[in-house]
């Protein structure tokens, strides 16, 4: 099963206007994550405008059917963070429940978890 990384492409870090750039931090982060995930056998990416975590930008959501799902935020849009997100997402995809033991987490994602969501109920089970 594949896991999906949803990247907020409208995230703007606090100093966005001061830096005078036209591309949002979220767009830049999306490009980095998409590049890191290119060719992955376990991870897909998609962009979404506003995950409503503006105070914690840059944000991503990690989802897969039947698994725990996560929101992560407060990332500096860097290659190191993007690579770590894709590495964690690959482990999430390979986990039966979406749980990845803490000792296996890539260092750059530690401290960035915002929420954990239980899987949605399977409508085919009573």
């Amino acid at each position: 099963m594949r896991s999906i990384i949803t990247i907020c492409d409208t995230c703007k870090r606090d100093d966005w206007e001061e830096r005078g750039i036209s591309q949002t931090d979220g767009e830049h982060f999306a490009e980095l994550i998409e590049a890191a995930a290119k060719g992955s056998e376990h991870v897909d990416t998609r962009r979404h405008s506003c995950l409503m975590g503006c105070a914690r930008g840059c944000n991503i959501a990690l989802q897969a059917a039947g698994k725990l799902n996560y929101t992560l935020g407060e990332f500096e849009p860097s290659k190191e963070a993007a690579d770590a997100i894709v590495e964690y997402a690959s482990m999430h995809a390979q986990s039966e429940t979406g749980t990845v033991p803490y000792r296996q987490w890539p260092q750059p994602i530690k401290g960035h978890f915002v929420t954990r969501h239980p899987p949605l109920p399977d409508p085919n089970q009573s």
Side-chain angles (χ1 to χ4, degrees):
M1 177 180 294
R2 297 176 71 78
S3 290
I4 301 169
I5 302 168
T6 302
I7 309 129
C8 179
D9 62 5
T10 55
C11 278
K12 298 174 185 169
R13 295 180 52 82
D14 289 341
D15 62 346
W16 182 75
E17 287 183 15
E18 295 163 15
R19 288 182 281 139
I21 57 174
S22 60
Q23 183 184 47
T24 65
D25 294 305
E27 289 171 320
H28 178 61
F29 203 29
E31 289 173 357
L32 292 168
I33 293 169
E34 290 162 350
K38 187 174 180 143
S40 171
E41 64 181 275
H42 301 290
V43 178
D44 290 318
T45 63
R46 66 181 181 165
R47 295 181 186 203
H48 186 76
S49 294
C50 197
L51 292 178
M52 297 183 77
C54 301
R56 294 181 178 261
C58 292
N59 298 286
I60 65 105
L62 179 58
Q63 303 164 295
K67 297 185 179 191
L68 288 168
N69 299 287
Y70 301 92
T71 306
L72 291 84
E74 294 188 54
F75 283 103
E76 178 73 31
S78 68
K79 182 177 182 332
E80 179 184 45
D83 290 345
I85 288 168
V86 172
E87 180 182 350
Y88 182 85
S90 181
M91 290 186 279
H92 177 269
Q94 295 173 70
S95 165
E96 187 175 319
T97 63
T99 301
V100 177
Y102 181 79
R103 68 185 174 280
Q104 294 178 12
W105 294 9
Q107 187 62 41
I109 68 158
K110 291 180 177 178
H112 292 275
F113 284 79
V114 178
T115 61
R116 176 175 69 178
H117 304 269
L120 292 173
D122 184 342
N124 298 318
Q125 294 180 343
S126 32

